[in-house]
Every structure is written in structure tokens, then in C-alpha cells.
Amino acid sequence: MTQGARIDSVVIFVHDLDRSVGFYQDVLALEVADRSPTAALLTTAGGTQLILRAVGRDAAHPLGGVGVQYVIWTAAGRADLDRCEQVLKRRSAHLDTRASEQATAVEGRDPDDIVVMIIYPGPDQAPLHKLPARIYGW
């Protein structure tokens, strides 16, 4: 069976690099692997890669427009998902936590109001077999 392509890295344009680096380090436990004045590469030992690129205060990100709307991250375990939820709450960035038969999802917003969603278990343990209702929220 052909495995097909997989996501390698995610690139997010942000207003304030320092603020966003701190947020993603705190919430997703990512480490800075490389940095320039306008960009940062954050990684995990497991191979997750997030590239943040500062584009200035006037850049817009319209929710519901064409293009990627958000990325769903997978927590390492239930304890990690709970940690993510607590960090989002501490940062006043938590929006919702909901559970289905397949998974629990924690949703928040990053400093630029971009959706941050973390689930457990992830698609390697509980793959989707139908469209989630959440995608029709706009």
C-alpha cells in the first residue's frame, strides 16, 4: 500500500515574532532550533516543525477566506492534552474543550487570533471517517 505524502512543516505568518514564539513554546512545548530577526524554526524531538514568520502589525488573516484556516495538533497523551488546556487557560487563550467518541479537542487562539486546536488521540490512533461538524462553523 502506498503511504502517500505527509505534512512536514507548518508555516504561520505572525504579527510579533517574540510573542508568538513564547506562545507556541509554552502551549505546544516546541523548542527554538533556529532564529533570525524575522523568523523562527520551532521543533520537537519527534520531528514536528513550526516556522513562524513576522509580517508586521498590518497583515490580515481573514477567517473563512481561501487557504489554510488552522492546523490541528496532536497531544502526546491525555496528560499532555490537559497541560495544553491549562496553558491556554492561563494565557486567557482557551475557547472550548469538547469530546466525542473518538477524541477530545482543546481549542484556543494564538496571540494573532489564529485558531490553535489540539486533540488526543490523534489520527494515528483514531482516524477520522467522516467530516467533523466544526469545519462548517463559518
Side-chain angles (χ1 to χ4, degrees), residues 8-12 20-35 40-52 71 73-75 80 83-84 87 91 110 116 118:
D8 183 59
S9 300
V10 173
V11 178
I12 300 176
S20 294
V21 165
F23 177 86
Y24 285 101
Q25 282 181 304
D26 199 16
V27 174
L28 300 178
L30 298 170
E31 298 293 326
V32 176
D34 192 20
R35 185 164 178 153
L41 169 62
L42 288 82
T43 63
T44 66
T48 298
Q49 299 182 127
L50 172 62
I51 300 167
L52 300 174
V71 176
W73 304 88
T74 302
D80 188 42
R83 181 197 62 76
C84 293
V87 171
R91 288 177 158 270
D110 83 352
V116 176
I118 307 119

Side-chain angles (χ1 to χ4, degrees), residues 1 27 30 38 42 47 49 53 58-59 70 83 89 95 97 109 123-124 136:
M1 175 181 215
V27 174
L30 298 170
T38 60
L42 288 82
Q49 299 182 127
R53 173 75 166 88
D58 296 328
Y70 56 91
R83 181 197 62 76
K89 286 180 176 179
L95 292 178
T97 298
R109 297 285 177 142
D124 57 329
Y136 298 107

Side-chain angles (χ1 to χ4, degrees), residues 73-133:
W73 304 88
T74 302
R78 183 62 204 206
D80 188 42
L81 183 67
D82 293 342
R83 181 197 62 76
C84 293
E85 180 183 39
Q86 292 308 309
V87 171
L88 286 168
K89 286 180 176 179
R90 187 180 74 238
R91 288 177 158 270
S92 299
H94 179 261
L95 292 178
D96 190 27
T97 298
R98 57 192 167 282
S100 69
E101 292 177 19
Q102 293 82 21
T104 299
V106 174
E107 184 176 344
R109 297 285 177 142
D110 83 352
D112 294 307
D113 205 32
I114 297 170
V115 172
V116 176
M117 190 175 297
I118 307 119
I119 63 166
Y120 184 77
D124 57 329
Q125 297 171 329
L128 292 175
H129 296 289
K130 62 181 186 174
L131 290 168

